[in-house]
Amino acid sequence: MKHTYLGLIACLIWNCSKEDTNDIVAKVGFCNLTTYEFISSYSQKLLSNTVQDSKFERERHLAQLIKNSLFADAAIRDGLQLDTISNYVFKLDSIKIIRQGLHSRIKKSNKVKVNQQLIKRHYKWMNRECEIRHLFFQDSLNAFDTFQKVKSGIEKFESVAESIFKNDVLKSNGGYLGWIVYNDLDPNLEKHIFDAPINILIGPIRSSYGWHIVEKLDERNQIFIDSVEYKLKKQSIVENIIKKNQQIGSDQYVNNLMLKKNISIDDTLVNFATQMILIITNSDIKHSEKELRLNSEKRILFGISKLKEMANETLATYDDGSFSIQDLIDGAKSLNIQKYKSSPENIFYKSLRNKILFEEGLKNRIQYEREIKLRLRDKKEDLYSRIYLDTYFWNKSENSFPKAIYNNLADSLRTISKPEIYWHTFDSIFKNKLDIKTL
């Protein structure tokens, strides 16, 4: 499966229905511009604060995407092939899209009932702050064993925190997280903590990260609840509750899946490989800027060479599969490594989890769903567009592409493949106000 899934995906993505245009914004020769590509790229533009949403900006962005489709169509007509780097990028994009597709299916299957009592509870939580400290464990056995020891007084909360945390702050402050507000925490943690009594040990609680033992030290509540504000926010609270409960259901699915896989880990090799990842990204550096400039290149080259040498070494085995250093490298590319600086082993756990979810997605035939096929096709067409420009027109010596040549090229290609825009589909994207937070 490891060597054939890209070929399978390549066969699938060109076989989407030509008749259904509910998710096709424009057709350009062999290529389709989908609602998924438009929403994703336009949302990113709005989030970057480079433009303000308007009819003009929407249509200008549509025109830009159509140009990209013209270049992709020309590449396909000319029989251009994706190079090694492009195929690798497409592989990483495919893993992410199929994994997200599985998550989406799980969330949709988790039906959530929301009553008035639940809505009011969440509204109170929105007006509450909780002061907490916590202990974190990757495995349930250690979490439950520690919970009993701390609860019975055999071990002290602070002592356990000092022994388990690698983060210097959490190690020294006894796992103290301070004051947290609604939406700060994993949804399952939030559900248990916000109504928990003060100074009572609760847990272990399972989150998307692992297992937690938590103590609520204090809470602060807004005394006056505004009934007008409640009515205004009621619908958004309902939507938030549904999202949170879907997330909890999705996390439970993932956690149960990981438990069933009988995973065996080479901890020594995992520690070495994740340290090399930190070296390559300079995430382990604690020196001055001058020292960083002097040592950076050598350290990075050392890290890269070590990982290349050991790319096929196995970090973990599980039912029906294994996880290598190359898989770790691939997985790390989709993560914010700085976020895992204090707990580098989580780079491994997150990457391993993502690979298993991808494989589970393939088993569940996620790749055959229309949305997934179209999103995969979007990614491949984007790569064809770049290959076309790189092959014929990119000025490598100047590292630039003149705007006039770019626009003239697009205009000439329009005479060969005239874009057909489905305005009813384009307008439907904006039927309700574009909410960049949910796209």
Side-chain angles (χ1 to χ4, degrees), residues 227-400:
S227 59
V228 175
E229 183 191 45
Y230 172 73
K231 288 178 182 177
L232 289 172
K233 291 186 175 179
K234 188 174 178 180
Q235 184 54 41
S236 64
I237 294 171
V238 171
E239 291 170 3
N240 205 13
I241 291 170
I242 291 171
K243 282 183 186 176
K244 286 174 184 287
N245 279 276
Q246 286 179 335
Q247 184 62 52
I248 290 170
S250 176
D251 290 340
Q252 287 174 347
Y253 176 94
V254 173
N255 290 333
N256 290 335
L257 175 66
M258 298 296 281
L259 283 174
K260 290 176 186 174
K261 286 292 181 179
N262 297 314
I263 301 168
S264 177
I265 299 169
D266 185 333
D267 291 314
T268 304
L269 193 55
V270 165
N271 182 58
F272 173 80
T274 51
Q275 288 301 324
M276 290 301 104
I277 295 282
L278 292 183
I279 285 174
I280 291 172
T281 58
N282 278 326
S283 298
D284 66 326
I285 300 291
K286 293 181 180 178
H287 304 301
S288 66
E289 285 188 19
K290 183 179 179 181
E291 289 173 316
L292 181 59
R293 286 197 299 271
L294 291 172
N295 298 323
S296 175
E297 188 175 344
K298 286 183 180 179
R299 290 170 61 81
I300 290 171
L301 290 174
F302 170 76
I304 291 172
S305 67
K306 282 296 178 186
L307 288 180
K308 277 187 177 179
E309 285 172 19
M310 304 173 71
N312 295 321
E313 294 283 335
T314 300
L315 295 172
T317 57
Y318 52 89
D319 292 351
D320 305 323
S322 61
F323 187 83
S324 68
I325 286 180
Q326 184 60 55
D327 291 322
L328 177 67
I329 296 168
D330 295 346
K333 287 181 186 294
S334 66
L335 302 176
N336 177 3
I337 301 301
Q338 292 293 332
K339 182 180 173 182
Y340 299 95
K341 188 166 148 177
S342 60
S343 52
E345 70 280 0
N346 285 333
I347 300 170
F348 162 76
Y349 286 113
K350 187 82 172 175
S351 300
L352 172 62
R353 190 193 76 158
N354 286 347
K355 185 188 178 188
I356 290 175
L357 282 173
F358 163 69
E359 293 172 346
E360 195 68 15
L362 290 181
K363 287 179 188 175
N364 281 272
R365 300 170 68 82
I366 296 294
Q367 67 273 26
Y368 291 95
E369 292 182 2
R370 177 178 172 82
E371 178 182 338
I372 301 304
K373 288 195 286 186
L374 287 173
R375 289 179 63 198
L376 289 166
R377 184 168 175 165
D378 287 339
K379 292 297 181 183
K380 181 150 275 194
E381 288 177 1
D382 182 57
L383 291 167
Y384 271 121
S385 174
R386 296 180 191 189
I387 285 290
Y388 182 75
L389 294 173
D390 284 351
T391 301
Y392 296 129
F393 302 100
W394 184 258
N395 188 334
K396 291 181 173 61
S397 62
E398 296 180 12
N399 196 34
S400 64

Side-chain angles (χ1 to χ4, degrees), residues 95-344:
I95 290 171
K96 183 178 180 181
I97 289 169
I98 290 173
R99 188 180 75 240
Q100 288 173 339
L102 178 63
H103 269 296
S104 179
R105 182 189 286 186
I106 296 164
K107 287 178 180 179
K108 286 175 185 175
S109 67
N110 184 21
K111 304 298 180 184
V112 181
K113 292 182 180 179
V114 181
N115 56 37
Q116 292 297 323
Q117 185 181 4
L118 186 58
I119 298 170
K120 287 180 179 178
R121 185 188 305 160
H122 276 258
Y123 182 69
K124 287 179 181 177
W125 291 354
M126 289 171 65
N127 293 280
R128 176 175 296 166
E129 293 176 90
C130 299
E131 185 184 23
I132 64 171
R133 61 176 180 171
H134 86 133
L135 303 172
F136 173 74
F137 305 88
Q138 288 288 351
D139 64 283
S140 59
L141 288 176
N142 200 4
F144 278 93
D145 181 55
T146 305
F147 179 79
Q148 292 301 329
K149 288 178 180 176
V150 174
K151 190 175 181 181
S152 63
I154 296 173
E155 291 191 18
K156 289 188 176 181
F157 200 105
E158 296 82 357
S159 302
V160 176
E162 189 176 0
S163 66
I164 64 169
F165 285 118
K166 293 183 179 178
N167 180 283
D168 291 336
V169 176
L170 292 173
K171 185 187 282 287
S172 62
N173 71 9
Y176 180 72
L177 293 180
W179 289 93
I180 53 99
V181 297
Y182 188 71
N183 286 335
D184 272 356
L185 298 175
D186 174 276
N188 201 39
L189 281 173
E190 179 181 88
K191 185 172 78 172
H192 285 83
I193 290 169
F194 270 71
D195 273 344
I198 294 171
N199 294 327
I200 299 294
L201 206 64
I202 58 171
I205 307 165
R206 197 180 194 181
S207 75
S208 56
Y209 309 105
W211 295 86
H212 306 256
I213 297 170
V214 183
E215 183 180 0
K216 183 157 77 171
L217 305 172
D218 199 359
E219 70 175 42
R220 295 191 291 233
N221 293 288
Q222 183 175 314
I223 298 173
F224 300 105
I225 302 297
D226 189 335
S227 59
V228 175
E229 183 191 45
Y230 172 73
K231 288 178 182 177
L232 289 172
K233 291 186 175 179
K234 188 174 178 180
Q235 184 54 41
S236 64
I237 294 171
V238 171
E239 291 170 3
N240 205 13
I241 291 170
I242 291 171
K243 282 183 186 176
K244 286 174 184 287
N245 279 276
Q246 286 179 335
Q247 184 62 52
I248 290 170
S250 176
D251 290 340
Q252 287 174 347
Y253 176 94
V254 173
N255 290 333
N256 290 335
L257 175 66
M258 298 296 281
L259 283 174
K260 290 176 186 174
K261 286 292 181 179
N262 297 314
I263 301 168
S264 177
I265 299 169
D266 185 333
D267 291 314
T268 304
L269 193 55
V270 165
N271 182 58
F272 173 80
T274 51
Q275 288 301 324
M276 290 301 104
I277 295 282
L278 292 183
I279 285 174
I280 291 172
T281 58
N282 278 326
S283 298
D284 66 326
I285 300 291
K286 293 181 180 178
H287 304 301
S288 66
E289 285 188 19
K290 183 179 179 181
E291 289 173 316
L292 181 59
R293 286 197 299 271
L294 291 172
N295 298 323
S296 175
E297 188 175 344
K298 286 183 180 179
R299 290 170 61 81
I300 290 171
L301 290 174
F302 170 76
I304 291 172
S305 67
K306 282 296 178 186
L307 288 180
K308 277 187 177 179
E309 285 172 19
M310 304 173 71
N312 295 321
E313 294 283 335
T314 300
L315 295 172
T317 57
Y318 52 89
D319 292 351
D320 305 323
S322 61
F323 187 83
S324 68
I325 286 180
Q326 184 60 55
D327 291 322
L328 177 67
I329 296 168
D330 295 346
K333 287 181 186 294
S334 66
L335 302 176
N336 177 3
I337 301 301
Q338 292 293 332
K339 182 180 173 182
Y340 299 95
K341 188 166 148 177
S342 60
S343 52

